[in-house]
Amino acid sequence: MRSALRFFLRQIVLIALAALAYFGVRGLTEGGITTANRNARWVIDVERTVGLDVERGIQSLLLDNRILLDVANWIYIWAHWPVVIATLVWLAIAHRDEFFELRNAMFISGAIGLVIFASFPVTPPRLFGAEYLDTVTAHSESYRILQPPALVNKFAAVPSLHFGWNLLVGLTWWRLARGPLTATGAVLMPIAMAFAVVATANHWALDVVIGAVVALLGLALERARRRRISRRIPWLDDDTDDTDDTDDTDDTDDTDDSSVETAVAACVSS
């Protein structure tokens, strides 16, 4: 019992520090509006070249249908952090290996995202022109309370980790699915988020594509790291979902957490 409590407290502290670093650095690395607008025009040009300039067409569906608008807002607000956090808690309790994989893939992709936010600021559609409506701000108060504007870089459109992290959650659900309902949710949830981030004018369509690439890169790097560790520590490949095996679980926790603690501490102190 004490071992499980120590594990959960450590994860809460780590994730809280990572969130503080992510939002704190994201807010401090906000680019200028001139540069962000120029980069947004580049994004639009790329989308037009490849046939991805779908933002106005998708949002027009919402403006003509208040029910669909409310659904898109609801998905954007409540199907991201609540879903991510609930999934992490479930994995920490029932599927410890998958918990570490998802957590670390989010940490890695989040770090990559911060580099892109700082070096390539992009104005989102909701701030780019009058033809795009910020439906979340116009029709909801809850999201700006959940994510205070002071901690948000309003030019952090690329990549869309709002979608990318939901994609990682969906992949985890799919891998652990025990029936058609979970499998269907694993497919539909990221698709719904991709629609919502564009329909609410919070992201360009290209942001969604880049968000998927960054998230999957984070997952690939985490799996490569785990393979490298497993070659040095063969028992790491054993099933660690058995929470009764506290000694092995603690050793695995320490192996997974040590490098993460160092990275998070460095990010917070920077």
Side-chain angles (χ1 to χ4, degrees):
M1 182 67 178
R2 184 179 301 173
S3 173
L5 179 61
R6 187 171 67 247
F7 166 79
F8 279 103
L9 288 175
R10 183 164 53 192
Q11 301 315 310
I12 291 171
V13 170
L14 271 177
I15 293 172
L17 286 174
L20 177 64
Y22 177 75
F23 286 112
V25 174
R26 182 177 171 179
L28 291 173
T29 57
E30 185 169 334
I33 188 169
T34 301
T35 301
N37 282 342
R38 182 174 64 246
N39 291 338
R41 283 190 286 271
W42 180 86
V43 169
I44 294 171
D45 289 341
V46 172
E47 289 188 346
R48 286 173 177 168
T49 300
V50 300
L52 254 184
D53 56 330
V54 297
E55 292 84 7
R56 277 177 288 189
I58 289 178
Q59 189 166 71
S60 67
L61 299 175
L62 270 65
L63 301 182
D64 295 333
N65 188 323
R66 181 56 192 266
I67 293 176
L68 188 58
L69 185 151
D70 288 339
V71 168
N73 282 350
W74 188 91
I75 292 171
Y76 184 82
I77 297 169
W78 299 109
H80 183 58
W81 283 117
V83 169
V84 170
I85 292 170
T87 299
L88 286 170
V89 171
W90 167 56
L91 294 176
I93 294 171
H95 302 281
R96 194 64 58 83
D97 249 6
E98 285 75 12
F99 166 80
F100 284 122
E101 180 176 276
L102 177 59
R103 185 202 69 176
N104 292 348
M106 290 177 62
F107 283 173
I108 295 168
S109 57
I112 296 170
L114 287 176
V115 173
I116 299 175
F117 297 153
S119 59
F120 190 70
V122 175
T123 305
R126 65 187 176 87
L127 299 176
F128 188 73
E131 65 267 36
Y132 303 105
L133 175 66
D134 182 354
T135 64
V136 173
T137 298
H139 297 282
S140 174
E141 295 292 332
S142 56
Y143 189 68
R144 303 309 172 201
I145 295 173
L146 289 171
Q147 191 166 304
L151 294 179
V152 174
N153 178 353
K154 59 180 176 289
F155 302 131
V158 178
S160 173
L161 293 180
H162 215 96
F163 167 74
W165 287 350
N166 274 60
L167 176 62
L168 293 179
V169 169
L171 291 172
T172 303
W173 288 5
W174 177 267
R175 192 163 63 252
L176 298 175
R178 294 292 184 268
L181 186 61
T182 307
T184 301
V187 173
L188 293 182
M189 186 265 297
I191 293 174
M193 185 57 70
F195 170 79
V197 298
V198 175
T200 59
N202 278 281
H203 287 282
W204 306 99
L206 187 62
D207 303 349
V208 174
V209 176
I210 298 174
V213 172
V214 170
L216 293 175
L217 176 60
L219 179 60
L221 291 173
E222 168 58 15
R223 287 181 174 176
R225 187 190 73 88
R226 296 280 286 178
R227 285 195 298 271
R228 187 170 64 253
I229 292 175
S230 69
R231 285 196 291 269
R232 297 202 314 265
I233 312 174
W235 53 258
L236 193 60
D237 281 337
D238 294 342
D239 183 9
T240 57
D241 286 344
D242 184 359
T243 54
D244 292 334
D245 193 358
T246 56
D247 292 337
D248 282 357
T249 300
D250 284 346
D251 290 342
T252 305
D253 297 348
D254 292 340
T255 301
D256 276 282
D257 284 345
S258 59
S259 59
V260 174
E261 287 170 351
T262 302
V264 170
C267 192
V268 170
S269 63
S270 61

